[in-house]
Amino acid sequence: MSNSTNGTVIVGPPPGKEQQAAGVGILLQIMMLVLSFVLSHVLRRKRFYYLPEASVSLLIGLIVGGLADFSGTKTSIRSWFNFHEEFFFLFLLPPIIFQSGFSLAPKPFFSNFGAIVTFAILGTFVASIVTGVLVYLGGVLMLMYKLPFVECLMFGALISATDPVTVLSIFQELGTDMNLYALVFGESVLNDAMAISLYRTMSSVNSHASSGENFLLVVLRFLETFVGSMSSGVGVGFISALLFKYAGLDVDNLQNLECCLFVLFPYFSYMLAEGLGLSGIVSILFTGIVMKHYSFTNLSENSQRFAAAFFHLISSLAETFVFIYMGFDIAMEQHSWSHVGFIFFSILFIGIARAANVFSSAYLVNLARPDSRKIPKNHQKALWYSGLRGAMAFALALQSVHDLPEGHGQTILTATTAIVVLTVLLIGGSTGTMLEALEVVGDGHDGPLGESFEGNNGYIVPSYDEGSSSGNKLKMRLKELHRSAGNFTALDKNYLTPFFTTQNDSDEENTDDTESNARRPG
């Protein structure tokens, strides 16, 4: 193809070549996705738990990337497999995070709300600081590549984001305790929000290091990011609930419109927060929690089935693609493998930080709980073991390449990618064995743990008489916080649910129908 401008002939690329390259790239990605889903399905049917879905996706990416590198077609395949970070942050990550919040089961979540918040907020903060301090000390002692202190804290924040999707799928397959499942899942959901807020705060501190900001401003910036993003997401969720309650969209000829609006609200939440300079990830996470609890019940039955299937579908596709890309990226990209010591000691320090997170948080939670509701040691060990790293840690590591000086961000990306691969392959593959060794398999929902979801919207009000004479102020404060979780549940049941959903209206109609039927002569 040639264009003539002022007598000058400009020769462009042959017609259709760019489209052909793009088509080959999309074909390659689809083939890897299909192969990943089929292999995962076969392995699950064979009950082969040593290679979970995420591990299969990673290995496929590694193999394809390794073959391309070995065969000398690296450049052409890289041009086909054209991956932009904007595509990752705008199209892959939002459905994964939204589905995390949307798939929360409300009764187990609210039953363990105090414990989940303790693990996700306090525990993630402890893990981030411990990791950052240990990595910095490791650099000072010449054990590993040395990074500045604030950059070490940034690394601690991003690597504290857990993604136990592999562990949870095995939990479901083998049948484990409902409270343990709720703790692992709930912590991973809220901990993403905490990790990204911490990372953004530390990144801001790093970029303004010369201005000498005091600690109070750092705390205020964190609260602005976390609380602002959470408020934005919750607000959008409540607006959607009121729209679906009063707009009258649950009739047959408007169900397409109802589904379209329901799908658009999460992205509206994400873009609104990003436009306000907040965290879209934190916002869309809380939008997912609120929309599942309030908006979802206002949809027609057909729209509910569509929404649940649609978000599960796109999150599965996105997560599988992310793990394939991570494997592909390791084989194809130039990584800072010279810093093997950084990777090795980071894994060691992450294990220590995870232990500090889980066991200290469990200790505080158990102080506030009666004996019948304490988190047992084997559950605490399962929580510690299930701290895999995944899509969120990888996303923040990608961001760090732009946020940090050349070499530093690349080192963090290399270490994070290696940690994600190792935790998914080794920890994910050995989860079944771990659950059996800790004797938490097959606990099911029997006994007091299963009964804990009956009444009070799944919350058991603990006995506050025990130990009140001991004068332990910390214990009493923790019990007050525990009671506040019950108060929130009562607030939700008595005020929020009737205001934002049609649930109580339908319950009253059913009650009236039952009474009228009872008054009729037989």
Side-chain angles (χ1 to χ4, degrees):
M1 181 179 180
S2 63
N3 295 319
S4 179
T5 306
N6 297 328
T8 305
V9 177
I10 302 171
V11 179
K17 280 291 182 184
E18 289 184 3
Q19 291 89 335
Q20 183 182 5
V24 172
I26 293 171
L27 176 63
L28 177 64
Q29 294 165 32
I30 291 174
M31 287 171 62
M32 289 193 286
L33 283 169
V34 169
L35 183 60
S36 176
F37 283 121
V38 171
L39 275 178
S40 300
H41 174 68
V42 170
L43 291 173
R44 286 183 74 177
R45 288 197 64 178
K46 299 291 184 183
R47 296 187 177 276
F48 186 80
Y49 300 119
Y50 298 103
L51 207 61
E53 294 174 27
S55 303
V56 171
S57 304
L58 270 171
L59 288 175
I60 288 172
L62 274 168
I63 292 168
V64 172
L67 288 174
D69 198 18
F70 181 75
S71 64
T73 58
K74 182 176 177 178
T75 306
S76 58
I77 289 188
R78 168 52 70 191
S79 65
W80 298 342
F81 205 87
N82 198 11
F83 184 87
H84 297 287
E85 287 167 26
E86 292 80 7
F87 177 70
F88 183 88
F89 283 102
L90 293 178
F91 295 103
L92 292 182
L93 205 55
I96 295 172
I97 302 302
F98 178 79
Q99 176 64 14
S100 296
F102 190 72
S103 56
L104 271 179
K107 284 188 177 181
F109 178 76
F110 285 115
S111 174
N112 293 280
F113 184 73
I116 288 169
V117 169
T118 304
F119 281 108
I121 306 298
L122 177 63
T124 303
F125 179 78
V126 168
S128 300
I129 299 300
V130 170
T131 304
V133 169
L134 289 176
V135 168
Y136 179 73
L137 291 176
V140 169
L141 297 173
M142 307 297 287
L143 296 174
M144 57 199 294
Y145 183 71
K146 186 178 179 182
L147 292 173
F149 183 62
V150 176
E151 292 182 15
C152 291
L153 292 177
M154 289 173 67
F155 176 66
L158 72 87
I159 207 65
S160 296
T162 60
D163 183 19
V165 60
T166 300
V167 174
L168 292 172
S169 65
I170 297 172
F171 275 18
Q172 287 179 319
E173 290 285 328
L174 298 179
T176 190
D177 179 73
M178 190 185 288
N179 276 346
L180 175 60
Y181 184 92
L183 282 176
V184 173
F185 187 63
E187 185 223 352
S188 72
V189 168
L190 296 185
N191 128 300
D192 282 345
M194 183 67 178
I196 195 170
S197 298
L198 279 172
Y199 175 83
R200 287 200 170 193
T201 303
M202 295 304 170
S203 177
S204 178
V205 170
N206 188 56
S207 61
H208 296 89
S210 58
S211 62
E213 288 185 338
N214 60 35
F215 180 73
L216 180 61
L217 287 176
V218 173
V219 173
L220 288 175
R221 181 171 286 111
F222 167 75
L223 291 175
E224 177 189 7
T225 302
F226 186 80
V227 178
S229 304
M230 180 180 71
S231 303
S232 168
V234 170
V236 171
F238 280 144
I239 290 170
S240 73
L242 291 174
L243 174 69
F244 290 113
K245 180 177 181 179
Y246 293 111
L249 300 173
D250 56 344
V251 293
D252 289 340
N253 60 337
L254 291 178
Q255 281 181 8
N256 284 343
L257 175 60
E258 187 180 40
C259 293
C260 288
L261 288 173
F262 197 84
V263 168
L264 288 173
F265 264 103
Y267 272 101
F268 173 75
S269 168
Y270 184 88
M271 296 304 172
L272 174 66
E274 290 291 328
L276 294 173
L278 302 170
S279 168
I281 296 299
V282 177
S283 179
I284 200 173
L285 171 64
F286 284 97
T287 300
I289 295 172
V290 173
M291 287 186 72
K292 177 59 182 287
H293 197 51
Y294 301 105
S295 309
F296 188 72
T297 57
N298 295 333
L299 301 178
S300 61
E301 288 186 13
N302 288 337
S303 297
Q304 285 183 357
R305 284 193 291 270
F306 168 81
F310 176 78
F311 286 117
H312 179 72
L313 167 69
I314 60 171
S315 69
S316 296
L317 282 170
E319 193 143 32
T320 303
F321 184 85
V322 168
F323 280 109
I324 287 174
Y325 178 75
M326 274 192 277
F328 193 84
D329 181 76
I330 288 176
M332 298 287 284
E333 289 292 332
Q334 295 296 323
H335 287 282
S336 304
W337 295 117
S338 56
H339 305 304
V340 176
F342 189 90
I343 298 170
F344 173 78
F345 283 105
S346 293
I347 293 172
L348 181 64
F349 295 155
I350 287 165
I352 295 170
R354 179 70 182 167
N357 168 355
V358 170
F359 296 116
S360 62
S361 298
Y363 175 76
L364 293 174
V365 169
N366 285 342
L367 279 179
R369 286 186 169 189
D371 290 339
S372 61
R373 293 269 293 157
K374 291 187 186 300
I375 303 172
K377 281 291 182 186
N378 59 341
H379 286 196
Q380 293 178 36
K381 291 173 184 175
L383 268 167
W384 173 78
Y385 197 84
S386 61
L388 283 75
R389 271 60 181 176
M392 178 56 72
F394 182 68
L396 293 176
L398 278 176
Q399 188 65 46
S400 73
V401 175
H402 302 289
D403 294 340
L404 299 178
E406 187 176 353
H408 293 191
Q410 194 62 43
T411 300
I412 286 177
L413 176 60
T414 301
T416 303
T417 310
I419 289 165
V420 170
V421 171
L422 288 172
T423 55
V424 168
L425 290 178
L426 298 180
I427 296 178
S430 59
T431 299
T433 307
M434 176 273 295
L435 292 176
E436 291 172 358
L438 293 176
E439 298 179 350
V440 294
V441 175
D443 285 359
H445 319 312
D446 302 327
L449 292 172
E451 292 165 6
S452 66
F453 303 109
E454 299 299 326
N456 291 328
N457 200 24
Y459 182 78
I460 287 186
V461 180
S463 170
Y464 294 101
D465 296 331
E466 299 175 15
S468 58
S469 60
S470 64
N472 190 331
K473 292 182 179 179
L474 174 63
K475 198 168 184 177
M476 293 305 296
R477 287 282 178 88
L478 289 169
K479 287 185 176 182
E480 286 173 14
L481 288 173
H482 202 190
R483 186 188 286 130
S484 69
N487 293 338
F488 172 75
T489 305
L491 172 71
D492 172 58
K493 185 177 181 181
N494 297 326
Y495 298 100
L496 296 180
T497 298
F499 183 75
F500 287 106
T501 72
T502 56
Q503 197 170 305
N504 271 34
D505 298 339
S506 59
D507 290 345
E508 288 172 9
E509 288 174 9
N510 292 337
T511 304
D512 293 342
D513 292 343
T514 305
E515 289 176 356
S516 62
N517 289 335
R519 284 194 292 267
R520 289 175 189 167

